[in-house]
Amino acid sequence: YAGGTRTKIGSNWDSMHGIASVGDLTGDGKGDIIAVESATGDLYRYSGPNFTGGSAVKIGTGWNVYDTLVGVGDLTGDGKGDIVAVETATGDLYRYSGPSFNGGSRVKIGTNWNSMVNLTGPGDLNKDGVPDLLAVNSSTGYLFRYSGPDFAGGAAVKIGTKW
């Protein structure tokens, strides 16, 4: 990432938000990403390694209600990556199961997540076999680790300050 060789793999990505790495959803051995088209709220899956528009598959609608989408790994144990999403209006945290992330797989797993920023799925930090989630409290600047699979407030461990 030091400015060496780079390869352009797409254009017009400024029309998208909620871009998240979600692992291999298609079973081809290559990582995929998802992204929300800002104008429509449609959710698209892009197949790796090039993530070109030709690989885009529409997999959902109505995703503009979320301001944060994070690929967190396999929370359900089915071998497919899952995502968590923060609903803008309520601050509720939802888990969607991959590979399709359809509304039927939506499970509410938390509240008041609108007080958190910079959510990221770093993998299994506490070595319990389940992916974890990192988030910064926007008012205190404290960095917290939340243990999966449900990231409940009781699972929060403060691991940093001034974030």
Side-chain angles (χ1 to χ4, degrees):
Y1 304 119
T5 303
R6 64 182 187 167
T7 303
K8 181 178 177 179
I9 59 172
S11 58
N12 298 318
W13 281 89
D14 56 346
S15 66
M16 309 298 277
H17 73 274
I19 300 168
S21 173
V22 290
D24 180 14
L25 298 176
T26 60
D28 64 0
K30 298 176 178 103
D32 304 315
I33 61 173
I34 59 170
V36 177
E37 185 177 43
S38 297
T40 64
D42 293 341
L43 180 67
Y44 288 89
R45 182 193 72 231
Y46 292 84
S47 296
N50 294 324
F51 312 112
T52 61
S55 73
V57 175
K58 183 176 166 181
I59 61 174
T61 60
W63 284 80
N64 274 343
V65 299
Y66 300 106
D67 62 3
T68 303
L69 296 178
V70 179
V72 290
D74 182 11
L75 296 172
T76 59
D78 65 359
K80 295 291 183 184
D82 303 314
I83 62 171
V84 294
V86 178
E87 190 173 51
T88 306
T90 64
D92 292 342
L93 181 69
Y94 291 93
R95 183 193 73 230
Y96 284 86
S97 298
S100 64
F101 310 115
N102 64 40
S105 71
R106 178 174 124 148
V107 175
K108 183 177 171 179
I109 59 173
T111 59
N112 299 317
W113 280 82
N114 49 351
S115 65
M116 306 303 278
V117 295
N118 301 327
L119 279 67
T120 188
D124 182 13
L125 296 177
N126 63 355
K127 301 190 187 305
D128 66 356
V130 182
D132 301 318
L133 183 66
L134 295 179
V136 175
N137 182 291
S138 60
S139 63
T140 64
Y142 295 162
L143 175 65
F144 290 94
R145 183 194 75 230
Y146 292 85
S147 297
D150 60 5
F151 309 120
V157 175
K158 185 171 89 173
I159 60 172
T161 59
K162 298 181 182 179
W163 282 82

